[in-house]
Amino acid sequence: MEYRTKAASARDPREVERGISVVIPAFNEEASVGAEVEAIRQAMSRNGTPFEIIVVDDASTDRTSTVAMRDGARVFRHMENRGYGAAIKTGIRGALYDTIVITDADGTYPADQIPNLIEKLEAADMVVGARIGEEVHIPLIRRPAKWLLRRLAQHIAGQPIPDLNSGLRAFRRQAIEPYFPMLSNRFSFTTTSTLALLGDDFRVVYHTINYYKRIGTSKIRPHHFMDFVILVLRMAMLFQPLKVFVPLAAVSIGIGVMKSIIDVLLVMERVATFGWATFYQPVLSTSALLLFLAGLQFLAIGMVADGVLRRLSYQSRGPGQPQATKVCEVTHAMVEETELKRPDEKP
């Protein structure tokens, strides 16, 4: 049974297109999820657009589901902890409306800015809440890593990225679902989605927001930095291979040229006079030749990968496929388990 199709079929298609689903992934956010749901409800009630608030409880051990239901949210609950990205995917699959907003349950993102993001979405494929406002509480220990990741991502994307992995963003379901198989089930969901849409020339715009101090304990750990680096490099391979292999080729060939000059100078010192016999002397060293060959191989791999990706991208554009996940929608009266079909999906 596919929950989203069943639920959405009972609604007017025009309302499905016009309405907004706000998805909140949550893991042990009992202390803050109720206030977040209420803040979003107040912000969304002002413009008269139909909306729903979905809280996806990622197997919390506290009363996150109970509090969210008490404050009027639709609640989905994972039977086991599957990660931030998996919770967002579950919320998108279960959403009644085609316009999706994601935010966090910890009170860090300003709910009153959601209508502004939706307004900008009229002329964009994704709107990202960029945490560059006057009040931004990002821990100092995370800032160097975030800066490095953002610089690397900007190189890959070839354009400025004010905020790579903001958790407050708006997009249409059709824009993000085709990327579900490659989007991580963990914290890198937002990073991947930003680079994926930029890599495929979708229009991503940014809206300046504040970022408040979180309520409760952060779920991000130091080892997640390496996960993000690997992810960015993977995205480079998937969407912009030339931006990885061309610099590698240039460095390799450049070092090879310098080594060759040194080799020639050494030969000039060994040979007293120049003549035809000079051409029979071993001039270039093995290391110089290997550097040249490695550079050419990097360049060839990048060009072939770029050509293949462009061809596959042209052929594979289409609606996303529903994926398997064990989910239950929690209501006051019952717990309904839903099993969705799923193609292979990266953890």
Side-chain angles (χ1 to χ4, degrees), residues 212-288:
Y212 306 122
K213 189 175 181 180
R214 88 178 316 282
I215 302 172
T217 306
S218 174
K219 311 300 187 301
I220 297 178
R221 298 292 180 265
H223 67 82
H224 288 132
F225 171 71
M226 287 308 300
D227 294 341
F228 288 150
V229 172
I230 293 173
L231 172 75
V232 172
L233 294 176
R234 182 188 298 165
M235 288 299 99
M237 297 293 294
L238 286 173
F239 295 100
Q240 299 289 346
L242 288 179
K243 291 195 173 182
V244 173
F245 286 104
V246 169
L248 287 175
V251 170
S252 182
I253 292 175
I255 296 175
V257 169
M258 289 189 289
K259 184 63 171 63
S260 299
I261 293 174
I262 294 173
D263 293 341
V264 171
L265 293 176
L266 291 175
V267 169
M268 291 175 66
E269 288 182 359
R270 293 200 308 266
V271 178
T273 58
F274 285 93
W276 286 110
T278 307
F279 291 96
Y280 296 99
Q281 296 288 329
V283 178
L284 297 182
S285 62
T286 303
S287 59

Coordinates of all heavy atoms in Angstrom, one line a residue, residues 212-288:
Y212 N 18.9 30.2 15.5 CA 18.9 30.4 16.9 C 19.6 29.2 17.6 O 19.8 28.1 17.0 CB 17.4 30.5 17.4 CG 16.7 31.6 16.7 CD1 15.5 31.4 16.0 CD2 17.2 32.9 16.7 CE1 14.8 32.4 15.3 CE2 16.5 33.9 16.1 CZ 15.3 33.7 15.4 OH 14.7 34.7 14.7
K213 N 19.9 29.4 18.8 CA 20.5 28.3 19.6 C 19.5 27.2 19.8 O 18.3 27.4 20.1 CB 20.9 28.9 21.0 CG 21.7 27.9 21.8 CD 22.2 28.5 23.1 CE 23.0 27.6 23.9 NZ 23.5 28.2 25.2
R214 N 19.9 26.0 19.6 CA 19.0 24.8 19.6 C 18.5 24.5 21.1 O 19.2 24.9 22.0 CB 19.7 23.6 19.0 CG 20.4 22.8 20.0 CD 21.0 21.5 19.5 NE 20.3 20.7 18.6 CZ 19.3 19.9 19.0 NH1 19.0 19.8 20.3 NH2 18.7 19.1 18.1
I215 N 17.4 23.9 21.1 CA 16.8 23.4 22.4 C 17.2 21.9 22.4 O 16.9 21.1 21.5 CB 15.3 23.5 22.4 CG1 14.9 25.0 22.3 CG2 14.8 23.0 23.7 CD1 13.4 25.3 22.2
G216 N 17.8 21.5 23.5 CA 18.2 20.1 23.6 C 19.7 19.8 23.1 O 20.4 20.8 22.9
T217 N 20.0 18.6 22.9 CA 21.4 18.2 22.6 C 21.5 17.9 21.1 O 20.6 17.3 20.5 CB 21.7 16.9 23.3 OG1 21.6 17.1 24.7 CG2 23.2 16.5 23.0
S218 N 22.6 18.5 20.5 CA 22.8 18.3 19.0 C 23.1 16.8 18.7 O 23.7 16.1 19.5 CB 24.0 19.1 18.6 OG 24.3 18.8 17.2
K219 N 22.6 16.4 17.5 CA 22.9 15.0 17.1 C 24.1 14.9 16.2 O 24.4 13.8 15.7 CB 21.6 14.4 16.4 CG 20.3 14.7 17.1 CD 20.3 14.0 18.5 CE 18.9 14.1 19.1 NZ 18.4 15.4 19.3
I220 N 24.7 16.0 15.8 CA 25.9 16.0 14.9 C 27.1 15.7 15.7 O 27.3 16.3 16.8 CB 26.0 17.3 14.2 CG1 24.7 17.6 13.3 CG2 27.2 17.4 13.4 CD1 24.7 18.9 12.6
R221 N 27.9 14.8 15.3 CA 29.2 14.4 15.9 C 30.4 14.7 15.0 O 30.2 14.9 13.8 CB 29.1 12.9 16.2 CG 28.0 12.5 17.2 CD 28.3 13.1 18.6 NE 27.2 12.7 19.5 CZ 26.2 13.5 19.8 NH1 26.1 14.7 19.2 NH2 25.2 13.1 20.6
P222 N 31.6 14.8 15.6 CA 32.8 15.2 14.7 C 33.0 14.3 13.5 O 33.4 14.8 12.5 CB 33.9 15.1 15.7 CG 33.3 15.4 17.1 CD 32.0 14.8 17.0
H223 N 32.7 13.0 13.6 CA 33.0 12.1 12.5 C 32.1 12.4 11.3 O 32.3 11.9 10.2 CB 32.8 10.6 13.0 CG 31.4 10.2 13.3 ND1 30.5 9.9 12.4 CD2 30.8 10.2 14.5 CE1 29.3 9.6 13.0 NE2 29.5 9.7 14.3
H224 N 31.0 13.1 11.5 CA 30.1 13.5 10.4 C 30.8 14.4 9.4 O 30.4 14.5 8.3 CB 28.9 14.2 10.9 CG 27.9 13.2 11.6 ND1 27.3 13.5 12.8 CD2 27.5 12.0 11.2 CE1 26.6 12.5 13.2 NE2 26.7 11.5 12.2
F225 N 31.9 15.1 9.8 CA 32.6 16.0 8.9 C 33.2 15.2 7.7 O 33.1 15.5 6.6 CB 33.8 16.7 9.6 CG 34.7 17.5 8.7 CD1 34.2 18.6 8.0 CD2 36.0 17.0 8.5 CE1 35.1 19.3 7.1 CE2 36.8 17.7 7.6 CZ 36.4 18.8 6.9
M226 N 33.9 14.0 8.1 CA 34.4 13.2 7.0 C 33.3 12.6 6.1 O 33.5 12.5 4.9 CB 35.3 12.1 7.6 CG 36.6 12.5 8.2 SD 37.5 13.5 7.0 CE 37.7 12.3 5.7
D227 N 32.2 12.3 6.7 CA 31.0 11.9 5.9 C 30.7 12.9 4.9 O 30.4 12.6 3.7 CB 29.8 11.6 6.8 CG 30.1 10.4 7.7 OD1 31.0 9.6 7.4 OD2 29.4 10.2 8.7
F228 N 30.7 14.2 5.3 CA 30.3 15.3 4.4 C 31.4 15.5 3.3 O 31.0 15.7 2.2 CB 30.2 16.6 5.2 CG 29.0 16.7 6.1 CD1 29.0 17.4 7.3 CD2 27.8 16.0 5.7 CE1 27.8 17.4 8.1 CE2 26.7 16.0 6.5 CZ 26.7 16.8 7.7
V229 N 32.7 15.4 3.7 CA 33.7 15.5 2.7 C 33.6 14.4 1.6 O 33.6 14.7 0.4 CB 35.1 15.4 3.3 CG1 36.2 15.4 2.2 CG2 35.3 16.7 4.2
I230 N 33.4 13.2 2.1 CA 33.2 12.1 1.1 C 32.0 12.3 0.2 O 32.0 12.0 -1.0 CB 33.1 10.7 1.9 CG1 34.4 10.4 2.6 CG2 32.7 9.6 1.0 CD1 34.4 9.2 3.5
L231 N 31.0 12.8 0.9 CA 29.7 13.1 0.1 C 30.0 14.1 -1.0 O 29.5 14.0 -2.1 CB 28.7 13.5 1.1 CG 27.4 14.0 0.4 CD1 26.6 12.8 -0.2 CD2 26.6 14.9 1.3
V232 N 30.6 15.2 -0.6 CA 30.9 16.3 -1.6 C 31.7 15.7 -2.8 O 31.4 16.0 -4.0 CB 31.5 17.5 -1.0 CG1 32.0 18.5 -2.0 CG2 30.6 18.2 0.0
L233 N 32.7 14.9 -2.5 CA 33.5 14.4 -3.5 C 32.7 13.4 -4.4 O 32.9 13.3 -5.6 CB 34.7 13.6 -2.9 CG 35.8 14.5 -2.2 CD1 36.9 13.7 -1.6 CD2 36.4 15.5 -3.2
R234 N 31.8 12.7 -3.7 CA 31.0 11.8 -4.5 C 30.0 12.5 -5.4 O 29.8 12.2 -6.6 CB 30.1 10.9 -3.5 CG 29.2 9.9 -4.2 CD 28.3 9.3 -3.2 NE 29.0 8.5 -2.2 CZ 28.4 8.1 -1.1 NH1 27.1 8.4 -0.8 NH2 29.1 7.5 -0.2
M235 N 29.5 13.7 -4.9 CA 28.7 14.5 -5.7 C 29.4 15.1 -6.9 O 28.9 15.2 -8.0 CB 28.1 15.6 -4.9 CG 27.0 15.2 -3.9 SD 25.6 14.5 -4.7 CE 26.0 12.7 -4.5
A236 N 30.7 15.4 -6.7 CA 31.5 15.9 -7.8 C 31.7 14.8 -8.9 O 31.6 15.1 -10.1 CB 32.9 16.3 -7.3
M237 N 31.8 13.6 -8.5 CA 31.9 12.5 -9.4 C 30.6 12.3 -10.2 O 30.6 12.0 -11.4 CB 32.4 11.2 -8.7 CG 33.7 11.3 -8.1 SD 35.0 11.4 -9.3 CE 34.9 9.8 -10.1
L238 N 29.5 12.5 -9.5 CA 28.2 12.2 -10.1 C 27.8 13.3 -11.0 O 27.1 13.1 -12.0 CB 27.2 12.0 -9.0 CG 27.2 10.7 -8.2 CD1 26.2 10.7 -7.0 CD2 26.9 9.5 -9.1
F239 N 28.1 14.6 -10.7 CA 27.6 15.7 -11.4 C 28.6 16.5 -12.2 O 28.3 17.1 -13.2 CB 26.8 16.6 -10.5 CG 25.6 15.9 -9.9 CD1 25.6 15.4 -8.6 CD2 24.4 15.7 -10.6 CE1 24.5 14.7 -8.1 CE2 23.3 15.1 -10.1 CZ 23.4 14.6 -8.8
Q240 N 29.8 16.7 -11.6 CA 30.8 17.5 -12.3 C 32.2 16.8 -12.3 O 33.1 17.3 -11.6 CB 30.9 18.9 -11.5 CG 29.7 19.7 -11.5 CD 29.3 20.2 -12.9 OE1 30.2 20.2 -13.8 NE2 28.1 20.8 -13.1
P241 N 32.3 15.7 -12.9 CA 33.6 14.9 -12.9 C 34.8 15.7 -13.4 O 35.9 15.6 -13.0 CB 33.3 13.7 -13.7 CG 32.2 14.0 -14.6 CD 31.3 15.0 -13.8
L242 N 34.5 16.6 -14.4 CA 35.6 17.4 -15.0 C 36.3 18.3 -13.9 O 37.5 18.6 -14.0 CB 35.2 18.2 -16.2 CG 34.8 17.4 -17.4 CD1 34.4 18.3 -18.5 CD2 36.1 16.6 -17.9
K243 N 35.5 18.7 -13.0 CA 36.0 19.6 -11.9 C 36.9 18.9 -10.9 O 37.5 19.5 -10.1 CB 34.9 20.4 -11.2 CG 34.2 21.4 -12.1 CD 33.3 22.3 -11.4 CE 32.8 23.4 -12.3 NZ 32.0 24.4 -11.7
V244 N 36.9 17.6 -11.0 CA 37.8 16.8 -10.1 C 39.0 16.4 -11.0 O 40.1 16.5 -10.5 CB 37.0 15.6 -9.5 CG1 38.0 14.7 -8.8 CG2 36.0 16.1 -8.6
F245 N 38.7 15.8 -12.1 CA 39.8 15.2 -12.9 C 40.7 16.2 -13.6 O 41.9 15.9 -13.8 CB 39.2 14.1 -13.9 CG 38.7 12.9 -13.2 CD1 37.4 12.6 -13.0 CD2 39.7 11.9 -12.7 CE1 37.0 11.5 -12.3 CE2 39.2 10.8 -12.1 CZ 37.9 10.6 -11.9
V246 N 40.1 17.3 -14.1 CA 40.9 18.3 -14.8 C 42.0 18.9 -13.9 O 43.2 18.9 -14.3 CB 40.1 19.3 -15.5 CG1 40.9 20.5 -16.0 CG2 39.3 18.7 -16.6
P247 N 41.6 19.3 -12.7 CA 42.7 19.8 -11.8 C 43.7 18.7 -11.5 O 44.9 19.0 -11.4 CB 41.9 20.2 -10.5 CG 40.6 20.5 -11.0 CD 40.3 19.6 -12.1
L248 N 43.3 17.5 -11.3 CA 44.3 16.4 -11.0 C 45.2 16.2 -12.2 O 46.4 16.0 -12.0 CB 43.5 15.1 -10.7 CG 42.8 15.0 -9.3 CD1 42.0 13.7 -9.3 CD2 43.8 15.1 -8.2
A249 N 44.6 16.3 -13.4 CA 45.4 16.1 -14.6 C 46.4 17.3 -14.7 O 47.6 17.1 -15.0 CB 44.5 16.0 -15.8
A250 N 46.0 18.5 -14.4 CA 46.8 19.7 -14.5 C 48.0 19.6 -13.5 O 49.1 19.9 -13.9 CB 46.0 20.9 -14.3
V251 N 47.7 19.2 -12.3 CA 48.8 19.0 -11.3 C 49.8 18.0 -11.7 O 51.0 18.2 -11.6 CB 48.1 18.7 -9.9 CG1 49.2 18.4 -8.9 CG2 47.3 19.9 -9.4
S252 N 49.2 16.8 -12.1 CA 50.1 15.7 -12.5 C 51.0 16.1 -13.7 O 52.3 15.9 -13.7 CB 49.3 14.5 -12.9 OG 50.2 13.4 -13.2
I253 N 50.5 16.7 -14.7 CA 51.2 17.1 -15.9 C 52.2 18.2 -15.6 O 53.3 18.3 -16.0 CB 50.3 17.5 -17.1 CG1 49.5 16.3 -17.6 CG2 51.1 18.1 -18.2 CD1 48.5 16.6 -18.6
G254 N 51.7 19.2 -14.7 CA 52.6 20.3 -14.3 C 53.8 19.8 -13.6 O 55.0 20.3 -13.9
I255 N 53.7 18.9 -12.7 CA 54.8 18.3 -11.9 C 55.7 17.5 -12.9 O 57.0 17.6 -12.8 CB 54.4 17.4 -10.8 CG1 53.6 18.2 -9.8 CG2 55.6 16.7 -10.1 CD1 53.0 17.4 -8.6
G256 N 55.1 16.8 -13.9 CA 55.8 16.1 -14.9 C 56.7 17.0 -15.7 O 57.8 16.7 -16.1
V257 N 56.2 18.2 -16.1 CA 56.9 19.2 -16.9 C 58.1 19.7 -16.1 O 59.3 19.8 -16.6 CB 56.0 20.4 -17.3 CG1 56.9 21.5 -17.8 CG2 55.0 19.9 -18.3
M258 N 57.9 20.0 -14.8 CA 59.0 20.5 -14.0 C 60.1 19.4 -13.8 O 61.3 19.7 -13.9 CB 58.5 20.9 -12.6 CG 57.7 22.2 -12.6 SD 57.3 22.8 -11.0 CE 56.1 21.6 -10.4
K259 N 59.7 18.2 -13.6 CA 60.6 17.1 -13.5 C 61.4 16.9 -14.8 O 62.6 16.6 -14.8 CB 59.9 15.8 -13.2 CG 60.8 14.6 -12.9 CD 61.7 14.8 -11.7 CE 62.5 13.6 -11.3 NZ 63.4 13.1 -12.4
S260 N 60.7 17.1 -16.0 CA 61.4 16.9 -17.3 C 62.4 18.0 -17.5 O 63.5 17.7 -18.0 CB 60.3 17.0 -18.4 OG 59.4 16.0 -18.3
I261 N 62.1 19.2 -17.0 CA 63.1 20.3 -17.1 C 64.4 20.0 -16.3 O 65.5 20.2 -16.8 CB 62.5 21.7 -16.7 CG1 61.4 22.1 -17.6 CG2 63.6 22.7 -16.6 CD1 60.6 23.3 -17.2
I262 N 64.2 19.5 -15.1 CA 65.3 19.1 -14.3 C 66.1 18.0 -15.0 O 67.3 18.0 -15.0 CB 64.8 18.6 -12.9 CG1 64.2 19.8 -12.2 CG2 65.9 18.0 -12.1 CD1 63.5 19.4 -10.9
D263 N 65.4 17.0 -15.6 CA 66.1 15.9 -16.3 C 66.9 16.4 -17.4 O 68.1 16.0 -17.6 CB 65.0 14.9 -16.8 CG 64.3 14.2 -15.7 OD1 64.9 14.1 -14.6 OD2 63.2 13.6 -16.0
V264 N 66.4 17.4 -18.2 CA 67.1 18.0 -19.3 C 68.4 18.7 -18.8 O 69.5 18.6 -19.4 CB 66.2 18.9 -20.2 CG1 67.0 19.7 -21.2 CG2 65.1 18.1 -20.8
L265 N 68.2 19.5 -17.8 CA 69.4 20.2 -17.2 C 70.5 19.2 -16.7 O 71.7 19.5 -16.9 CB 68.9 21.1 -16.1 CG 68.0 22.3 -16.4 CD1 67.5 23.0 -15.2 CD2 68.7 23.2 -17.4
L266 N 70.1 18.1 -16.2 CA 71.0 17.1 -15.7 C 71.8 16.5 -16.9 O 73.0 16.2 -16.8 CB 70.3 16.0 -14.9 CG 69.8 16.5 -13.5 CD1 69.0 15.4 -12.8 CD2 71.0 17.0 -12.6
V267 N 71.0 16.3 -18.0 CA 71.7 15.7 -19.2 C 72.7 16.7 -19.8 O 73.8 16.3 -20.2 CB 70.6 15.3 -20.2 CG1 71.2 15.0 -21.6 CG2 69.8 14.2 -19.8
M268 N 72.3 18.0 -19.8 CA 73.2 19.0 -20.3 C 74.5 19.1 -19.5 O 75.6 19.4 -20.0 CB 72.5 20.4 -20.3 CG 71.4 20.5 -21.2 SD 70.5 22.1 -21.1 CE 71.8 23.2 -21.6
E269 N 74.4 18.8 -18.2 CA 75.6 18.7 -17.4 C 76.5 17.5 -17.7 O 77.8 17.6 -17.7 CB 75.3 18.7 -15.9 CG 74.7 20.0 -15.4 CD 74.5 19.9 -13.9 OE1 74.7 18.9 -13.3 OE2 74.0 21.0 -13.3
R270 N 75.9 16.4 -18.1 CA 76.6 15.2 -18.4 C 77.3 15.2 -19.8 O 78.4 14.7 -19.9 CB 75.7 14.0 -18.3 CG 75.2 13.6 -16.9 CD 74.8 12.2 -16.8 NE 73.8 11.9 -17.9 CZ 72.5 11.9 -17.8 NH1 72.0 12.3 -16.6 NH2 71.7 11.6 -18.8
V271 N 76.7 15.9 -20.7 CA 77.1 15.9 -22.1 C 78.0 17.1 -22.3 O 77.5 18.2 -22.2 CB 76.0 15.8 -23.1 CG1 76.5 15.8 -24.5 CG2 75.1 14.6 -22.8
A272 N 79.2 16.9 -22.8 CA 80.1 18.0 -23.0 C 79.7 18.8 -24.2 O 79.7 20.0 -24.2 CB 81.6 17.5 -23.1
T273 N 79.4 18.1 -25.3 CA 79.0 18.8 -26.6 C 77.7 18.2 -27.1 O 77.4 17.0 -26.9 CB 80.1 18.6 -27.7 OG1 80.2 17.2 -27.9 CG2 81.4 19.2 -27.3
F274 N 76.9 19.0 -27.8 CA 75.6 18.6 -28.3 C 75.8 18.2 -29.8 O 76.5 18.8 -30.6 CB 74.6 19.7 -28.2 CG 74.1 19.9 -26.8 CD1 74.7 20.9 -26.0 CD2 73.1 19.2 -26.3 CE1 74.3 21.1 -24.7 CE2 72.6 19.4 -25.0 CZ 73.2 20.3 -24.2
G275 N 75.1 17.1 -30.1 CA 75.1 16.5 -31.5 C 74.1 15.4 -31.6 O 73.2 15.3 -30.7
W276 N 74.2 14.7 -32.7 CA 73.2 13.6 -32.9 C 73.3 12.6 -31.7 O 72.3 11.9 -31.4 CB 73.4 12.9 -34.2 CG 73.0 13.7 -35.4 CD1 73.7 14.4 -36.3 CD2 71.6 14.0 -35.7 NE1 72.9 15.0 -37.2 CE2 71.6 14.8 -36.8 CE3 70.4 13.7 -35.1 CZ2 70.5 15.3 -37.4 CZ3 69.2 14.1 -35.8 CH2 69.3 14.9 -36.9
A277 N 74.5 12.4 -31.2 CA 74.6 11.4 -30.1 C 73.9 11.8 -28.8 O 73.5 10.9 -28.0 CB 76.1 11.3 -29.8
T278 N 73.5 13.1 -28.7 CA 72.8 13.5 -27.5 C 71.4 12.9 -27.5 O 70.8 12.6 -26.4 CB 72.7 15.1 -27.5 OG1 74.0 15.6 -27.6 CG2 72.0 15.6 -26.3
F279 N 70.8 12.7 -28.7 CA 69.4 12.1 -28.8 C 69.4 10.7 -28.3 O 68.3 10.2 -28.1 CB 68.9 12.3 -30.2 CG 68.6 13.7 -30.6 CD1 69.5 14.4 -31.3 CD2 67.4 14.3 -30.2 CE1 69.3 15.7 -31.7 CE2 67.2 15.6 -30.6 CZ 68.1 16.3 -31.3
Y280 N 70.5 10.0 -28.2 CA 70.5 8.6 -27.8 C 70.7 8.5 -26.3 O 70.7 7.5 -25.7 CB 71.7 7.9 -28.5 CG 71.4 7.8 -30.0 CD1 72.1 8.6 -30.9 CD2 70.6 6.8 -30.5 CE1 71.9 8.5 -32.2 CE2 70.4 6.7 -31.9 CZ 71.0 7.6 -32.7 OH 70.8 7.5 -34.1
Q281 N 70.9 9.7 -25.6 CA 71.0 9.7 -24.2 C 69.7 9.5 -23.5 O 68.7 10.1 -24.0 CB 71.7 11.0 -23.7 CG 73.1 11.2 -24.2 CD 74.1 10.3 -23.5 OE1 73.9 9.9 -22.4 NE2 75.1 9.9 -24.2
P282 N 69.6 8.8 -22.4 CA 68.3 8.7 -21.6 C 68.0 10.1 -20.9 O 68.7 10.5 -20.0 CB 68.6 7.7 -20.6 CG 70.0 7.6 -20.4 CD 70.6 8.0 -21.8
V283 N 67.1 10.9 -21.5 CA 66.8 12.2 -21.0 C 65.8 12.2 -19.9 O 66.0 12.7 -18.8 CB 66.4 13.1 -22.2 CG1 66.1 14.5 -21.7 CG2 67.5 13.2 -23.2
L284 N 64.6 11.8 -20.3 CA 63.5 11.9 -19.3 C 63.5 10.7 -18.4 O 63.7 9.5 -18.8 CB 62.1 11.9 -20.0 CG 61.9 13.1 -21.0 CD1 60.5 13.0 -21.6 CD2 62.0 14.4 -20.2
S285 N 63.3 10.9 -17.1 CA 63.3 9.9 -16.1 C 62.0 9.1 -16.1 O 60.9 9.6 -16.7 CB 63.5 10.5 -14.7 OG 62.4 11.4 -14.4
T286 N 61.9 8.0 -15.5 CA 60.7 7.2 -15.4 C 59.6 7.9 -14.6 O 58.4 7.9 -15.0 CB 61.0 5.8 -14.7 OG1 62.0 5.1 -15.4 CG2 59.7 5.0 -14.6
S287 N 60.0 8.6 -13.6 CA 59.0 9.4 -12.8 C 58.3 10.5 -13.7 O 57.1 10.7 -13.6 CB 59.6 10.0 -11.6 OG 60.7 10.9 -12.0
A288 N 59.1 11.2 -14.5 CA 58.5 12.2 -15.3 C 57.5 11.6 -16.3 O 56.4 12.1 -16.5 CB 59.6 12.9 -16.1

